[in-house]
Protein backbone atom coordinates (compact mmCIF):
# COMPACT_ATOMS: atom_id res chain seq x y z
CA UNK A 1 0.00 0.00 0.00
CA UNK A 2 2.92 2.33 0.64
CA UNK A 3 4.01 4.31 -2.41
CA UNK A 4 7.45 3.70 -3.83
CA UNK A 5 10.10 6.31 -3.09
CA UNK A 6 10.33 8.85 -5.88
CA UNK A 7 6.57 8.84 -6.51
CA UNK A 8 4.53 12.00 -7.09
CA UNK A 9 0.99 11.54 -5.79
CA UNK A 10 -1.56 13.37 -7.94
CA UNK A 11 -4.84 13.63 -6.00
CA UNK A 12 -7.57 14.64 -8.47
CA UNK A 13 -10.64 14.62 -6.23
CA UNK A 14 -13.38 14.66 -7.38
CA UNK A 15 -15.35 17.37 -5.59
CA UNK A 16 -17.05 16.67 -2.25
CA UNK A 17 -14.96 13.58 -1.52
CA UNK A 18 -12.77 14.96 1.27
CA UNK A 19 -10.43 16.98 -0.94
CA UNK A 20 -10.64 20.26 1.00
CA UNK A 21 -10.16 18.45 4.31
CA UNK A 22 -7.12 16.57 3.05
CA UNK A 23 -5.60 19.68 1.48
CA UNK A 24 -5.98 21.40 4.84
CA UNK A 25 -4.42 18.45 6.67
CA UNK A 26 -1.47 18.28 4.28
CA UNK A 27 -0.93 22.02 4.50
CA UNK A 28 -1.01 22.12 8.29
CA UNK A 29 1.42 19.18 8.50
CA UNK A 30 3.78 20.26 5.71
CA UNK A 31 6.75 20.83 8.05
CA UNK A 32 6.25 17.47 9.78
CA UNK A 33 5.80 15.77 6.40
CA UNK A 34 9.06 17.28 5.19
CA UNK A 35 10.87 15.58 8.06
CA UNK A 36 9.72 12.28 6.54
CA UNK A 37 10.74 13.22 3.01
CA UNK A 38 7.26 14.25 1.83
CA UNK A 39 6.83 17.57 0.01
CA UNK A 40 3.53 19.44 -0.44
CA UNK A 41 4.59 22.50 -2.46
CA UNK A 42 2.80 25.80 -2.82
CA UNK A 43 1.90 28.95 -0.93
CA UNK A 44 -1.57 27.84 0.11
CA UNK A 45 -3.45 24.66 0.90
CA UNK A 46 -5.09 24.54 -2.53
CA UNK A 47 -3.33 26.03 -5.56
CA UNK A 48 -6.58 26.15 -7.48
CA UNK A 49 -5.69 28.91 -9.93
CA UNK A 50 -2.53 27.15 -11.06
CA UNK A 51 -4.37 23.83 -11.40
CA UNK A 52 -7.16 25.44 -13.45
CA UNK A 53 -4.68 27.11 -15.80
CA UNK A 54 -3.00 23.84 -16.80
CA UNK A 55 -5.86 21.36 -16.47
CA UNK A 56 -8.72 23.47 -17.86
CA UNK A 57 -6.96 26.14 -19.88
CA UNK A 58 -8.78 28.92 -18.04
CA UNK A 59 -8.66 30.83 -14.76
CA UNK A 60 -11.00 32.76 -12.51
CA UNK A 61 -12.01 36.28 -13.66
CA UNK A 62 -9.17 38.71 -13.15
CA UNK A 63 -6.43 36.09 -12.97
CA UNK A 64 -3.77 35.94 -15.66
CA UNK A 65 -3.78 32.61 -17.48
CA UNK A 66 -0.09 32.73 -18.45
CA UNK A 67 0.93 33.73 -14.93
CA UNK A 68 -1.06 30.92 -13.31
CA UNK A 69 0.21 28.39 -15.85
CA UNK A 70 3.76 29.49 -15.12
CA UNK A 71 3.07 29.11 -11.42
CA UNK A 72 1.94 25.52 -11.89
CA UNK A 73 5.05 24.63 -13.86
CA UNK A 74 7.17 26.23 -11.14
CA UNK A 75 5.52 23.96 -8.55
CA UNK A 76 6.16 20.91 -10.72
CA UNK A 77 9.78 21.99 -11.26
CA UNK A 78 10.17 22.38 -7.51
CA UNK A 79 9.29 18.72 -7.03
CA UNK A 80 11.63 17.64 -9.81
CA UNK A 81 14.53 19.72 -8.47
CA UNK A 82 14.14 18.80 -4.80
CA UNK A 83 13.45 15.13 -5.51
CA UNK A 84 11.58 14.42 -2.26
CA UNK A 85 10.85 10.86 -1.26
CA UNK A 86 7.16 11.56 -2.06
CA UNK A 87 5.73 14.67 -3.72
CA UNK A 88 2.03 15.57 -3.49
CA UNK A 89 -0.17 17.64 -5.80
CA UNK A 90 -3.85 17.94 -4.93
CA UNK A 91 -6.80 19.68 -6.58
CA UNK A 92 -10.32 18.56 -7.39
CA UNK A 93 -10.00 20.74 -10.50
CA UNK A 94 -8.02 17.94 -12.15
CA UNK A 95 -11.10 15.71 -12.27
CA UNK A 96 -12.51 18.04 -14.96
CA UNK A 97 -9.30 18.30 -16.96
CA UNK A 98 -9.53 18.21 -20.72
CA UNK A 99 -7.56 15.43 -22.44
CA UNK A 100 -4.94 18.01 -23.38
CA UNK A 101 -4.88 19.37 -19.83
CA UNK A 102 -4.57 15.92 -18.25
CA UNK A 103 -1.64 15.08 -20.48
CA UNK A 104 0.02 18.41 -19.67
CA UNK A 105 -0.32 17.67 -15.94
CA UNK A 106 1.10 14.17 -16.32
CA UNK A 107 3.94 15.36 -18.55
CA UNK A 108 4.82 18.09 -16.08
CA UNK A 109 4.90 15.76 -13.08
CA UNK A 110 6.75 12.94 -14.79
CA UNK A 111 6.39 9.19 -15.31
CA UNK A 112 6.54 8.33 -11.60
CA UNK A 113 3.14 9.95 -11.01
CA UNK A 114 0.49 7.91 -9.19
CA UNK A 115 -3.10 9.13 -9.64
CA UNK A 116 -5.30 9.04 -6.52
CA UNK A 117 -9.10 9.27 -6.83
CA UNK A 118 -11.27 9.52 -3.71
CA UNK A 119 -14.90 8.39 -4.00
CA UNK A 120 -18.03 8.82 -1.91
CA UNK A 121 -21.50 7.40 -2.65
CA UNK A 122 -23.21 9.66 -5.18
CA UNK A 123 -26.37 9.44 -3.06
CA UNK A 124 -24.54 11.44 -0.38
CA UNK A 125 -23.44 14.13 -2.81
CA UNK A 126 -26.84 15.13 -4.16
CA UNK A 127 -27.98 17.47 -1.41
CA UNK A 128 -24.62 19.18 -0.92
CA UNK A 129 -24.13 19.75 -4.65
CA UNK A 130 -27.64 21.15 -5.07
CA UNK A 131 -26.96 23.51 -2.16
CA UNK A 132 -23.76 24.61 -3.86
CA UNK A 133 -25.59 25.38 -7.08
CA UNK A 134 -28.25 27.39 -5.23
CA UNK A 135 -25.49 29.76 -4.09
CA UNK A 136 -24.38 30.57 -7.62
CA UNK A 137 -27.23 30.29 -10.11
CA UNK A 138 -30.99 30.02 -10.27
CA UNK A 139 -31.78 26.29 -10.14
CA UNK A 140 -34.96 24.19 -10.06
CA UNK A 141 -36.40 23.03 -6.76
CA UNK A 142 -34.57 20.11 -5.18
CA UNK A 143 -37.07 17.44 -6.34
CA UNK A 144 -37.14 18.87 -9.87
CA UNK A 145 -33.36 19.10 -9.97
CA UNK A 146 -33.06 15.51 -8.76
CA UNK A 147 -35.39 14.30 -11.48
CA UNK A 148 -33.34 16.03 -14.15
CA UNK A 149 -30.05 14.74 -12.75
CA UNK A 150 -31.02 11.14 -12.02
CA UNK A 151 -33.11 10.57 -15.13
CA UNK A 152 -30.25 11.79 -17.33
CA UNK A 153 -26.93 10.49 -15.95
CA UNK A 154 -25.34 11.33 -19.29
CA UNK A 155 -25.53 14.95 -18.14
CA UNK A 156 -25.70 18.17 -20.20
CA UNK A 157 -29.29 19.08 -19.29
CA UNK A 158 -29.25 20.98 -16.00
CA UNK A 159 -26.07 21.88 -14.05
CA UNK A 160 -24.03 19.70 -16.44
CA UNK A 161 -20.95 19.97 -14.23
CA UNK A 162 -22.59 17.52 -11.79
CA UNK A 163 -22.12 14.46 -13.98
CA UNK A 164 -18.82 15.73 -15.38
CA UNK A 165 -17.57 15.54 -11.82
CA UNK A 166 -19.51 12.62 -10.43
CA UNK A 167 -19.64 9.94 -13.09
CA UNK A 168 -16.91 8.36 -11.00
CA UNK A 169 -16.74 5.21 -13.11
CA UNK A 170 -15.90 7.22 -16.22
CA UNK A 171 -13.41 9.30 -14.28
CA UNK A 172 -11.52 6.19 -13.19
CA UNK A 173 -11.70 4.64 -16.66
CA UNK A 174 -10.42 7.83 -18.26
CA UNK A 175 -7.32 8.10 -16.06
CA UNK A 176 -6.67 4.37 -16.33
CA UNK A 177 -6.63 4.92 -20.08
CA UNK A 178 -4.12 7.76 -19.67
CA UNK A 179 -1.60 6.12 -17.31
CA UNK A 180 -2.57 2.45 -17.01
CA UNK A 181 -4.36 0.65 -14.16
CA UNK A 182 -1.16 0.11 -12.18
CA UNK A 183 -0.83 3.89 -11.72
CA UNK A 184 -4.38 4.62 -10.53
CA UNK A 185 -5.50 4.12 -6.93
CA UNK A 186 -9.13 4.53 -5.88
CA UNK A 187 -10.00 5.17 -2.22
CA UNK A 188 -13.62 4.61 -1.20
CA UNK A 189 -14.42 7.03 1.62
CA UNK A 190 -16.60 5.77 4.48
CA UNK A 191 -18.25 8.84 6.01
CA UNK A 192 -18.80 6.94 9.26
CA UNK A 193 -15.04 6.84 9.83
CA UNK A 194 -13.91 10.47 10.07
CA UNK A 195 -10.26 9.48 10.43
CA UNK A 196 -10.33 6.89 7.66
CA UNK A 197 -9.11 9.07 4.78
CA UNK A 198 -6.20 10.68 6.69
CA UNK A 199 -5.05 7.22 7.82
CA UNK A 200 -5.09 5.98 4.21
CA UNK A 201 -2.98 8.96 3.12
CA UNK A 202 -0.52 8.31 5.95
CA UNK A 203 -0.07 4.68 4.87
CA UNK A 204 0.41 5.67 1.24
CA UNK A 205 2.96 8.32 2.20
CA UNK A 206 4.75 6.13 4.72
CA UNK A 207 4.44 8.58 7.62
CA UNK A 208 3.44 7.94 11.25
CA UNK A 209 -0.23 7.40 12.07
CA UNK A 210 -1.88 10.52 13.46
CA UNK A 211 0.42 12.96 11.66
CA UNK A 212 -2.40 14.17 9.39
CA UNK A 213 -5.28 15.85 11.18
CA UNK A 214 -8.14 17.35 9.20
CA UNK A 215 -8.81 20.90 10.42
CA UNK A 216 -12.19 21.67 11.94
CA UNK A 217 -14.04 24.07 9.63
CA UNK A 218 -17.38 25.04 11.12
CA UNK A 219 -17.65 27.95 8.68
CA UNK A 220 -18.56 25.57 5.86
CA UNK A 221 -21.44 23.62 7.36
CA UNK A 222 -24.39 22.48 5.29
CA UNK A 223 -27.24 24.95 5.06
CA UNK A 224 -30.66 24.10 6.39
CA UNK A 225 -33.49 23.92 3.89
CA UNK A 226 -34.90 27.36 4.87
CA UNK A 227 -31.40 28.81 4.53
CA UNK A 228 -31.02 27.41 1.03
CA UNK A 229 -34.31 29.04 0.08
CA UNK A 230 -33.13 32.36 1.49
CA UNK A 231 -29.90 32.23 -0.51
CA UNK A 232 -31.68 31.11 -3.67
CA UNK A 233 -34.15 33.99 -3.31
CA UNK A 234 -31.17 36.37 -3.12
CA UNK A 235 -29.65 34.82 -6.26
CA UNK A 236 -32.90 35.20 -8.17
CA UNK A 237 -33.43 38.72 -6.87
CA UNK A 238 -29.96 39.86 -7.95
CA UNK A 239 -30.49 38.38 -11.39
CA UNK A 240 -33.65 40.36 -12.02
CA UNK A 241 -34.13 43.82 -13.53
CA UNK A 242 -35.99 45.06 -10.45
CA UNK A 243 -32.72 44.97 -8.49
CA UNK A 244 -30.78 47.22 -10.83
CA UNK A 245 -27.50 46.06 -12.35
CA UNK A 246 -27.57 42.27 -12.53
CA UNK A 247 -24.84 40.41 -10.67
CA UNK A 248 -22.45 38.51 -12.90
CA UNK A 249 -20.62 35.34 -11.82
CA UNK A 250 -17.88 37.33 -10.08
CA UNK A 251 -20.44 39.32 -8.05
CA UNK A 252 -22.33 36.18 -7.08
CA UNK A 253 -19.10 34.47 -6.08
CA UNK A 254 -18.01 37.38 -3.88
CA UNK A 255 -21.26 38.59 -2.37
CA UNK A 256 -23.48 35.49 -2.37
CA UNK A 257 -21.38 32.34 -2.26
CA UNK A 258 -18.53 33.74 -0.14
CA UNK A 259 -20.59 36.47 1.48
CA UNK A 260 -24.23 35.67 2.19
CA UNK A 261 -23.83 31.88 2.31
CA UNK A 262 -20.69 32.03 4.43
CA UNK A 263 -22.47 34.42 6.78
CA UNK A 264 -25.17 31.82 7.28
CA UNK A 265 -22.63 29.01 7.67
CA UNK A 266 -20.68 30.96 10.27
CA UNK A 267 -23.79 31.20 12.48
CA UNK A 268 -25.07 28.16 14.41
CA UNK A 269 -27.80 26.32 12.53
CA UNK A 270 -31.32 26.48 13.91
CA UNK A 271 -31.75 23.04 15.49
CA UNK A 272 -35.46 23.12 14.74
CA UNK A 273 -35.00 23.93 11.05
CA UNK A 274 -35.39 21.16 8.48
CA UNK A 275 -32.29 19.84 6.80
CA UNK A 276 -32.45 19.22 3.07
CA UNK A 277 -34.41 15.96 2.67
CA UNK A 278 -34.00 13.66 -0.31
CA UNK A 279 -37.14 11.91 -1.62
CA UNK A 280 -37.07 8.12 -1.24
CA UNK A 281 -37.43 7.57 -4.99
CA UNK A 282 -34.28 9.66 -5.61
CA UNK A 283 -32.33 7.68 -3.00
CA UNK A 284 -33.29 4.39 -4.66
CA UNK A 285 -32.33 5.69 -8.09
CA UNK A 286 -29.01 7.08 -6.87
CA UNK A 287 -28.13 3.82 -5.14
CA UNK A 288 -28.77 1.93 -8.37
CA UNK A 289 -26.49 4.34 -10.26
CA UNK A 290 -23.89 3.86 -7.52
CA UNK A 291 -24.00 0.07 -7.94
CA UNK A 292 -23.51 0.41 -11.68
CA UNK A 293 -20.55 2.75 -11.21
CA UNK A 294 -18.99 0.43 -8.62
CA UNK A 295 -19.08 -2.48 -11.06
CA UNK A 296 -17.29 -0.44 -13.74
CA UNK A 297 -14.67 0.83 -11.28
CA UNK A 298 -13.99 -2.76 -10.20
CA UNK A 299 -13.58 -3.80 -13.83
CA UNK A 300 -11.18 -0.94 -14.60
CA UNK A 301 -8.19 -2.68 -13.10
CA UNK A 302 -7.34 0.23 -10.81
CA UNK A 303 -6.17 -0.53 -7.27
CA UNK A 304 -9.12 -0.11 -4.90
CA UNK A 305 -8.71 0.72 -1.21
CA UNK A 306 -11.96 0.33 0.72
CA UNK A 307 -15.30 -1.25 -0.07
CA UNK A 308 -16.89 -0.42 -3.42
CA UNK A 309 -20.14 -1.76 -1.98
CA UNK A 310 -20.41 1.49 -0.01
CA UNK A 311 -21.29 3.29 -3.25
CA UNK A 312 -24.68 1.55 -3.20
CA UNK A 313 -25.13 0.91 0.54
CA UNK A 314 -28.57 2.06 1.78
CA UNK A 315 -27.07 2.53 5.25
CA UNK A 316 -25.16 5.55 3.93
CA UNK A 317 -28.19 7.19 2.31
CA UNK A 318 -29.18 10.65 3.61
CA UNK A 319 -32.39 11.41 5.44
CA UNK A 320 -35.38 10.86 3.19
CA UNK A 321 -38.59 12.81 2.90
CA UNK A 322 -40.06 15.94 1.37
CA UNK A 323 -39.29 19.38 2.75
CA UNK A 324 -42.18 21.53 3.87
CA UNK A 325 -42.60 24.83 2.01
CA UNK A 326 -40.86 27.77 3.67
CA UNK A 327 -43.48 30.36 4.62
CA UNK A 328 -41.52 32.69 6.90
CA UNK A 329 -38.06 34.22 7.11
CA UNK A 330 -36.06 33.60 10.27
CA UNK A 331 -34.77 37.05 11.31
CA UNK A 332 -31.63 35.50 12.81
CA UNK A 333 -30.83 33.81 9.49
CA UNK A 334 -31.60 37.01 7.58
CA UNK A 335 -29.25 38.96 9.84
CA UNK A 336 -26.48 36.38 9.31
CA UNK A 337 -26.97 36.58 5.54
CA UNK A 338 -26.75 40.38 5.57
CA UNK A 339 -23.68 40.28 7.82
CA UNK A 340 -22.01 37.95 5.32
CA UNK A 341 -22.65 40.37 2.46
CA UNK A 342 -21.33 43.31 4.48
CA UNK A 343 -18.17 41.37 5.31
CA UNK A 344 -17.38 41.17 1.59
CA UNK A 345 -18.23 44.82 1.01
CA UNK A 346 -15.48 45.80 3.43
CA UNK A 347 -12.78 44.98 0.90
CA UNK A 348 -14.32 46.93 -1.97
CA UNK A 349 -13.14 50.40 -1.04
CA UNK A 350 -9.54 49.60 -0.17
CA UNK A 351 -7.49 50.04 -3.34
CA UNK A 352 -6.93 53.03 -5.57
CA UNK A 353 -8.48 51.03 -8.40
CA UNK A 354 -11.34 48.49 -8.37
CA UNK A 355 -10.31 44.85 -8.33
CA UNK A 356 -9.80 43.61 -11.87
CA UNK A 357 -11.67 40.40 -11.06
CA UNK A 358 -14.61 42.23 -9.51
CA UNK A 359 -18.05 42.15 -11.10
CA UNK A 360 -19.99 45.18 -12.34
CA UNK A 361 -21.88 45.62 -9.08
CA UNK A 362 -18.71 45.54 -7.02
CA UNK A 363 -17.09 48.07 -9.34
CA UNK A 364 -20.17 50.32 -9.17
CA UNK A 365 -20.00 50.27 -5.35
CA UNK A 366 -16.30 51.09 -5.47
CA UNK A 367 -16.92 53.99 -7.86
CA UNK A 368 -19.73 55.42 -5.74
CA UNK A 369 -17.65 55.27 -2.60
CA UNK A 370 -14.61 56.93 -4.14
CA UNK A 371 -16.70 59.61 -5.85
CA UNK A 372 -18.25 60.63 -2.53
CA UNK A 373 -14.94 60.55 -0.68
CA UNK A 374 -13.23 62.55 -3.44
CA UNK A 375 -15.96 65.20 -3.33
CA UNK A 376 -15.65 65.51 0.42
CA UNK A 377 -11.86 65.60 0.51
CA UNK A 378 -11.60 68.11 -2.34
CA UNK A 379 -14.18 70.53 -0.96
CA UNK A 380 -12.51 73.98 -0.67
CA UNK A 381 -12.29 75.73 2.70
CA UNK A 382 -14.81 78.28 1.44
CA UNK A 383 -17.55 75.63 1.49
CA UNK A 384 -19.97 76.40 4.25
CA UNK A 385 -19.38 74.42 7.45
CA UNK A 386 -22.86 72.93 7.26
CA UNK A 387 -22.24 71.64 3.71
CA UNK A 388 -18.83 70.24 4.68
CA UNK A 389 -20.46 68.53 7.63
CA UNK A 390 -23.11 67.06 5.32
CA UNK A 391 -20.46 65.72 2.94
CA UNK A 392 -18.49 64.27 5.85
CA UNK A 393 -21.57 62.54 7.19
CA UNK A 394 -22.40 61.12 3.74
CA UNK A 395 -18.86 59.75 3.31
CA UNK A 396 -19.05 58.26 6.76
CA UNK A 397 -22.31 56.50 5.91
CA UNK A 398 -20.76 55.07 2.74
CA UNK A 399 -17.75 53.81 4.68
CA UNK A 400 -19.94 52.20 7.33
CA UNK A 401 -22.14 50.61 4.66
CA UNK A 402 -19.02 49.11 3.08
CA UNK A 403 -17.92 47.68 6.39
CA UNK A 404 -15.15 50.22 7.03
CA UNK A 405 -14.10 51.35 10.48
CA UNK A 406 -13.21 54.92 9.68
Amino acid sequence: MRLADGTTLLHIGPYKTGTTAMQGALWEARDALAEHGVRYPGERAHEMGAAMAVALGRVEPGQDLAEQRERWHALAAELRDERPRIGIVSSEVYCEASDEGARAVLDGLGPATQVLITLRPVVRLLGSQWQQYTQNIAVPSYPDWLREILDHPEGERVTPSFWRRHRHDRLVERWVGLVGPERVTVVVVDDRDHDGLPRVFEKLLGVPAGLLQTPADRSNRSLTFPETQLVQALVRRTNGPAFGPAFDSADHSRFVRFGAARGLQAAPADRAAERVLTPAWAVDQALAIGASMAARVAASGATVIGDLGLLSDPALAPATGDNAPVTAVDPVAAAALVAGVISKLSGVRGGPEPRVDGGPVEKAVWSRHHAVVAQWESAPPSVAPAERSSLRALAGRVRRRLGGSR
Side-chain angles (χ1 to χ4, degrees):
M1 184 176 181
R2 175 171 167 164
L3 298 172
D5 289 358
T7 297
T8 296
L9 184 64
L10 173 62
H11 179 208
I12 68 170
Y15 292 80
K16 301 295 183 181
T17 61
T19 48
T20 300
M22 285 313 307
Q23 288 155 3
L26 292 165
W27 179 251
E28 292 298 324
R30 61 194 182 281
D31 292 338
L33 287 169
E35 295 177 3
H36 296 277
V38 179
R39 177 72 170 141
Y40 187 55
E43 297 180 356
R44 54 187 64 85
H46 182 198
E47 292 281 359
M48 184 174 69
M52 286 182 66
V54 174
L56 307 182
R58 59 179 173 81
V59 290
E60 296 287 354
Q63 291 184 331
D64 183 85
L65 178 60
E67 180 181 318
Q68 290 298 323
R69 186 178 284 128
E70 182 179 343
R71 173 162 184 75
W72 188 92
H73 285 291
L75 296 174
E78 185 178 324
L79 291 178
R80 291 196 303 271
D81 294 343
E82 293 189 8
R83 297 185 179 180
R85 184 175 62 81
I86 301 291
I88 310 172
V89 176
S90 175
S91 177
E92 51 270 47
V93 167
Y94 297 123
C95 81
E96 294 187 276
S98 64
D99 288 344
E100 180 183 0
R103 292 189 186 96
V105 169
L106 293 168
D107 289 345
L109 296 178
T113 301
Q114 183 77 21
V115 177
L116 180 67
I117 301 173
T118 45
L119 301 185
R120 291 176 67 216
V122 70
V123 72
R124 294 186 65 84
L125 305 176
L126 296 169
S128 61
Q129 285 284 254
W130 176 75
Q131 285 189 45
Q132 192 74 62
Y133 289 125
T134 66
Q135 298 171 26
N136 293 306
I137 58 174
V139 294
S141 69
Y142 188 41
D144 289 345
W145 180 83
L146 286 169
R147 185 66 72 186
E148 285 288 327
I149 288 293
L150 297 174
D151 285 353
H152 305 94
E154 303 305 311
E156 304 305 327
R157 287 177 62 94
V158 60
T159 56
S161 63
F162 180 85
W163 284 124
R164 283 204 302 270
R165 297 170 178 177
H166 298 303
R167 275 304 303 259
H168 299 157
D169 50 349
R170 293 181 179 176
L171 179 66
V172 173
E173 291 167 347
R174 181 167 176 239
W175 285 84
V176 164
L178 288 167
V179 300
E182 70 282 356
R183 290 174 57 191
V184 177
T185 299
V186 174
V187 177
V188 183
V189 178
D190 187 343
D191 289 337
R192 296 167 297 190
D193 182 2
H194 297 296
D195 294 326
L197 189 55
R199 301 299 82 84
V200 168
F201 266 75
E202 289 164 351
K203 291 178 181 178
L204 288 169
L205 301 176
V207 299
L211 188 147
L212 296 177
Q213 299 292 326
T214 55
D217 184 7
R218 296 182 177 84
S219 68
N220 198 27
R221 67 168 174 82
S222 295
L223 299 179
T224 66
F225 183 70
E227 288 171 339
T228 65
Q229 300 303 285
L230 192 59
V231 172
Q232 180 67 177
L234 177 61
V235 169
R236 294 180 182 277
R237 180 76 169 81
T238 52
N239 273 332
F243 177 79
F247 281 35
D248 72 354
S249 60
D251 284 319
H252 274 118
S253 179
R254 180 176 179 85
F255 297 121
V256 182
R257 181 182 175 191
F258 293 108
R262 288 297 171 88
L264 288 167
Q265 290 167 325
D270 180 357
R271 293 180 179 274
E274 274 192 339
R275 297 326 190 237
V276 175
L277 301 175
T278 302
W281 65 262
V283 167
D284 292 342
Q285 206 164 333
L287 290 173
I289 293 173
S292 174
M293 290 197 294
R296 290 179 60 166
V297 171
S300 71
T303 299
V304 176
I305 299 173
D307 182 7
L308 283 171
L310 296 178
L311 302 184
S312 58
D313 188 346
L316 293 176
T320 60
D322 297 301
N323 287 110
V326 178
T327 58
V329 175
D330 176 7
V332 174
L337 179 144
V338 171
V341 175
I342 291 174
S343 74
K344 303 309 293 183
L345 282 168
S346 63
V348 171
R349 69 184 181 89
E353 299 291 337
R355 294 189 315 133
V356 293
D357 55 344
V361 173
E362 178 182 340
K363 290 176 179 177
V365 171
W366 182 93
S367 296
R368 180 181 179 188
H369 165 75
H370 281 266
V372 171
V373 172
Q375 184 179 0
W376 167 44
E377 292 178 344
S378 63
S382 59
V383 173
E387 186 174 346
R388 292 182 61 85
S389 176
S390 176
L391 286 170
R392 186 179 295 109
L394 177 58
R397 286 198 299 274
V398 171
R399 287 192 175 106
R400 287 191 295 275
R401 185 173 298 176
L402 299 180
S405 60
R406 292 185 293 168

